[in-house]
Amino acid sequence: MSDQDEKAGANLLRKELPDEVQAEAPPAAEGTEGADVAEDATQPEITGRQRLLNGLWPPRVSRAQLIVALLLFGLGFGLAVQVASNSDGDSALRGARQEDLVRILDELDDRTQRLEDEKQGLEKQRDELENSSNQAEEARRQTIEKERQLGVLAGTVAAQGPGITMTIDDTKGTVESDMLLDAIQELRAAGAEAIQVNGVRVVANTYLTDVGQSVSVDGNKINAPYRFKVIGKPQDLEPALNIPGGVVQTLEKEQATVTVERSGKIVVDALRAAKRPDYARSSSQ
């Protein structure tokens, strides 16, 4: 069969095909592209929201971001605790009586005034030291004065000055060591500078314990009546003891008799032995 006969047969076959028959899709240029197209056609289209969620989860957190998150958490927790504490304090003040609020305000004013006086005293010492013609002599004088003040606090030297005398008569034997300790703490908060109880000097590390029907102060047994000799401002010390629900009312509930007297001169002469340090020595030795 010649070439012309083959062409004629092909044309005749093309004319005989129906118009509805569609041409076959061309083969894919690459072996994998056809498979990818078919796979994409079967998968549903991904929306923008799904792409956003796929990008956010799982989260990719760096070390620095984790540290910042922990610090922010700690800061938030601390602020929450502080707010809760302030709320508790405010609630307690809301439930307080008017006389208690007045007492609290007076105590705050007294403490503020004591701090202001202490500040002025320190500023005065500084000015005297700076303006003195003989700074060495002025420094020595201030050192001696400071040593005397510390000796009073440590109980190694006697002291005198205005103050109060409080006597607790315990005929029922109901007064315990914690009640006397509350009295000491209240006096210290009111500005007491020196305290003596039945001949025993009270210092910073003083402790009280119960011994039968008596009380022991730093290992020294004392018996009722308990007599407190206190140096400080009488106008601050006496009200601090007589506040509603304070030391005097608590002791009177225990059927004890409490007497508080102001005095222009109180002598605190009970002494503590000065302890020699084990290792420290002055530079002059």
Side-chain angles (χ1 to χ4, degrees):
M1 181 182 296
S2 63
D3 296 335
Q4 293 179 352
D5 294 336
E6 291 178 358
K7 292 179 179 180
N11 291 333
L12 179 60
L13 180 60
R14 188 179 298 112
K15 291 178 181 180
E16 292 176 354
L17 292 174
D19 295 336
E20 292 80 6
V21 178
Q22 297 179 358
E24 297 180 357
E30 298 293 337
T32 58
E33 291 182 358
D36 294 339
V37 173
E39 185 178 354
D40 293 339
T42 59
Q43 293 181 352
E45 184 179 356
I46 299 176
T47 64
R49 184 176 181 181
Q50 290 175 337
R51 293 193 185 95
L52 179 61
L53 293 176
N54 291 337
L56 295 176
W57 190 265
R60 299 177 178 86
V61 181
S62 64
R63 186 185 187 91
Q65 291 174 336
L66 181 59
I67 294 175
V68 171
L70 291 175
L71 291 176
L72 291 176
F73 173 78
L75 178 60
F77 180 76
L79 290 175
V81 172
Q82 182 67 28
V83 171
S85 300
N86 293 337
S87 299
D88 294 340
D90 295 341
S91 300
L93 291 178
R94 291 194 198 98
R97 297 175 299 176
Q98 181 177 2
E99 54 267 25
D100 294 336
L101 295 175
V102 173
R103 172 185 60 80
I104 293 173
L105 183 60
D106 291 340
E107 289 182 355
L108 290 176
D109 291 339
D110 294 339
R111 292 180 184 181
T112 301
Q113 185 60 44
R114 289 197 298 270
L115 292 174
E116 185 64 27
D117 294 342
E118 184 178 355
K119 174 187 174 184
Q120 292 179 0
L122 294 175
E123 290 177 347
K124 181 180 178 181
Q125 292 179 5
R126 180 197 62 191
D127 295 338
E128 290 176 351
L129 185 59
E130 291 178 349
N131 300 327
S132 176
S133 58
N134 190 346
Q135 293 186 356
E137 180 63 24
E138 180 63 24
R140 189 182 70 84
R141 185 189 68 80
Q142 292 187 12
T143 301
I144 294 175
E145 177 65 19
K146 191 67 174 179
E147 181 183 9
R148 187 193 67 80
Q149 295 176 0
L150 294 177
V152 172
L153 295 177
T156 58
V157 297
Q160 66 179 19
I164 64 170
T165 300
M166 179 175 66
T167 304
I168 303 174
D169 193 1
D170 180 26
T171 58
K172 302 293 184 179
T174 57
V175 176
E176 298 179 350
S177 60
D178 58 339
M179 302 176 187
L180 300 183
L181 180 60
D182 289 341
I184 293 174
Q185 299 286 31
E186 195 67 45
L187 290 169
R188 283 174 171 170
E193 298 177 356
I195 303 175
Q196 176 178 316
V197 183
N198 286 31
V200 180
R201 188 69 169 267
V202 176
V203 294
N205 59 348
T206 291
Y207 64 93
L208 289 82
T209 57
D210 293 317
V211 181
Q213 297 294 323
S214 303
V215 175
S216 174
V217 181
D218 292 335
N220 301 290
K221 184 178 178 181
I222 61 175
N223 299 309
Y226 304 109
R227 184 179 178 84
F228 286 70
K229 299 170 68 176
V230 187
I231 296 178
K233 290 183 179 180
Q235 60 271 27
D236 294 339
L237 299 175
E238 183 180 3
L241 296 173
N242 288 294
I243 60 175
V247 173
V248 173
Q249 284 193 1
T250 300
L251 291 171
E252 289 178 348
K253 287 181 180 179
E254 299 296 333
Q255 300 182 356
T257 303
V258 183
T259 304
V260 180
E261 298 178 355
R262 299 188 184 188
S263 176
K265 181 180 180 181
I266 297 292
V267 178
V268 175
D269 51 5
L271 302 181
R272 291 293 188 97
K275 294 183 178 180
R276 183 178 181 86
D278 295 329
Y279 304 101
R281 298 289 185 274
S282 64
S283 58
S284 59
Q285 294 181 355

